[in-house]
Short mmCIF file of all heavy atoms in Angstrom, two decimals:
data_model
loop_
_atom_site.label_atom_id
_atom_site.label_comp_id
_atom_site.label_asym_id
_atom_site.label_seq_id
_atom_site.Cartn_x
_atom_site.Cartn_y
_atom_site.Cartn_z
N THR A 107 13.28 -149.73 108.49
CA THR A 107 13.47 -148.32 108.77
C THR A 107 12.16 -147.43 108.69
O THR A 107 11.25 -147.86 108.07
CB THR A 107 14.39 -147.72 107.78
OG1 THR A 107 13.84 -147.87 106.49
CG2 THR A 107 15.84 -148.45 107.86
N GLY A 150 13.91 -111.59 119.13
CA GLY A 150 14.67 -112.66 119.86
C GLY A 150 13.92 -113.94 119.72
O GLY A 150 14.40 -114.95 119.25
N LEU A 167 2.38 -123.83 118.79
CA LEU A 167 1.88 -122.82 119.78
C LEU A 167 0.47 -122.96 119.94
O LEU A 167 -0.36 -123.07 119.07
CB LEU A 167 2.16 -121.40 119.19
CG LEU A 167 1.91 -120.18 120.19
CD1 LEU A 167 2.79 -120.29 121.45
CD2 LEU A 167 2.20 -118.97 119.40
N VAL A 201 -2.75 -88.59 101.18
CA VAL A 201 -1.43 -89.23 101.62
C VAL A 201 -1.70 -90.79 101.94
O VAL A 201 -0.96 -91.65 101.63
CB VAL A 201 -0.81 -88.52 102.90
CG1 VAL A 201 0.39 -89.22 103.37
CG2 VAL A 201 -0.51 -87.12 102.54
N LEU A 207 -1.89 -97.64 98.36
CA LEU A 207 -1.94 -98.13 96.96
C LEU A 207 -0.60 -98.41 96.58
O LEU A 207 -0.38 -99.43 95.76
CB LEU A 207 -2.66 -97.23 96.05
CG LEU A 207 -4.18 -97.03 96.18
CD1 LEU A 207 -4.79 -96.06 95.32
CD2 LEU A 207 -4.88 -98.40 96.04
N LEU A 219 5.72 -110.43 88.00
CA LEU A 219 7.06 -110.76 87.35
C LEU A 219 7.49 -112.21 87.83
O LEU A 219 7.96 -112.96 87.01
CB LEU A 219 7.98 -109.71 87.78
CG LEU A 219 7.96 -108.35 87.07
CD1 LEU A 219 9.00 -107.47 87.63
CD2 LEU A 219 7.91 -108.50 85.55
N CYS A 247 -5.38 -118.94 99.93
CA CYS A 247 -4.63 -119.12 98.62
C CYS A 247 -5.00 -120.52 97.91
O CYS A 247 -5.14 -120.48 96.86
CB CYS A 247 -3.22 -118.85 98.66
SG CYS A 247 -2.40 -120.21 99.69
N ALA A 271 14.40 -105.28 108.77
CA ALA A 271 14.70 -104.11 108.01
C ALA A 271 14.18 -102.94 108.84
O ALA A 271 14.76 -101.80 109.03
CB ALA A 271 14.12 -104.03 106.74
N SER A 285 12.91 -98.08 125.40
CA SER A 285 13.24 -99.37 125.87
C SER A 285 13.96 -99.23 127.37
O SER A 285 13.60 -99.96 128.23
CB SER A 285 14.26 -100.11 124.98
OG SER A 285 15.34 -99.28 124.81
N ASN A 291 10.91 -99.99 134.70
CA ASN A 291 9.56 -100.05 135.25
C ASN A 291 8.98 -101.46 134.83
O ASN A 291 7.73 -101.69 134.70
CB ASN A 291 8.63 -99.08 134.88
CG ASN A 291 9.20 -97.63 135.27
OD1 ASN A 291 8.93 -97.34 136.45
ND2 ASN A 291 9.81 -96.99 134.48
N TYR A 313 -12.23 -113.15 121.61
CA TYR A 313 -13.33 -114.15 121.30
C TYR A 313 -14.16 -113.62 120.21
O TYR A 313 -14.64 -114.35 119.33
CB TYR A 313 -14.12 -114.23 122.62
CG TYR A 313 -15.27 -115.24 122.43
CD1 TYR A 313 -15.03 -116.55 122.51
CD2 TYR A 313 -16.66 -114.78 122.39
CE1 TYR A 313 -16.14 -117.47 122.48
CE2 TYR A 313 -17.72 -115.62 122.26
CZ TYR A 313 -17.36 -117.09 122.20
OH TYR A 313 -18.49 -117.91 122.13
N GLY A 315 -13.52 -111.53 117.82
CA GLY A 315 -12.76 -111.60 116.57
C GLY A 315 -12.78 -113.01 115.94
O GLY A 315 -12.82 -113.14 114.71
N PRO A 321 -10.40 -112.19 109.42
CA PRO A 321 -8.83 -112.42 109.39
C PRO A 321 -8.16 -111.35 110.21
O PRO A 321 -8.47 -110.12 110.03
CB PRO A 321 -8.57 -112.28 107.95
CG PRO A 321 -9.72 -112.61 107.15
CD PRO A 321 -10.88 -112.17 108.10
N LYS A 336 -11.71 -96.11 125.49
CA LYS A 336 -10.86 -95.08 125.80
C LYS A 336 -11.58 -93.69 125.48
O LYS A 336 -11.53 -92.82 126.34
CB LYS A 336 -9.61 -95.16 125.14
CG LYS A 336 -8.58 -94.08 125.51
CD LYS A 336 -7.27 -94.21 124.86
CE LYS A 336 -7.27 -93.74 123.34
NZ LYS A 336 -5.93 -93.58 122.79
N PHE A 377 14.09 -120.11 96.62
CA PHE A 377 14.42 -119.22 97.80
C PHE A 377 15.09 -118.04 97.22
O PHE A 377 14.72 -116.71 97.58
CB PHE A 377 15.24 -119.94 98.86
CG PHE A 377 15.55 -118.99 100.01
CD1 PHE A 377 14.63 -118.66 100.94
CD2 PHE A 377 16.82 -118.37 99.96
CE1 PHE A 377 14.94 -117.81 102.07
CE2 PHE A 377 17.17 -117.52 101.05
CZ PHE A 377 16.25 -117.26 101.99
N LEU A 453 -7.55 -109.53 92.63
CA LEU A 453 -6.32 -109.18 91.99
C LEU A 453 -5.53 -110.45 91.59
O LEU A 453 -4.95 -110.53 90.45
CB LEU A 453 -5.47 -108.36 92.99
CG LEU A 453 -4.32 -107.53 92.34
CD1 LEU A 453 -4.79 -106.61 91.23
CD2 LEU A 453 -3.58 -106.79 93.53
N TRP A 456 -7.08 -112.00 88.54
CA TRP A 456 -7.01 -111.08 87.36
C TRP A 456 -5.52 -111.20 86.82
O TRP A 456 -5.45 -111.30 85.59
CB TRP A 456 -7.23 -109.63 87.63
CG TRP A 456 -7.07 -108.71 86.45
CD1 TRP A 456 -7.84 -108.72 85.30
CD2 TRP A 456 -6.04 -107.74 86.33
NE1 TRP A 456 -7.30 -107.60 84.49
CE2 TRP A 456 -6.22 -107.11 85.17
CE3 TRP A 456 -4.96 -107.22 87.23
CZ2 TRP A 456 -5.53 -106.11 84.67
CZ3 TRP A 456 -4.25 -106.24 86.76
CH2 TRP A 456 -4.56 -105.65 85.50
#
Side-chain angles (χ1 to χ4, degrees):
T107 59
L167 187 64
V201 174
L207 289 177
L219 285 181
C247 70
S285 57
N291 297 283
Y313 179 79
K336 186 177 75 168
F377 179 82
L453 196 59
W456 179 69

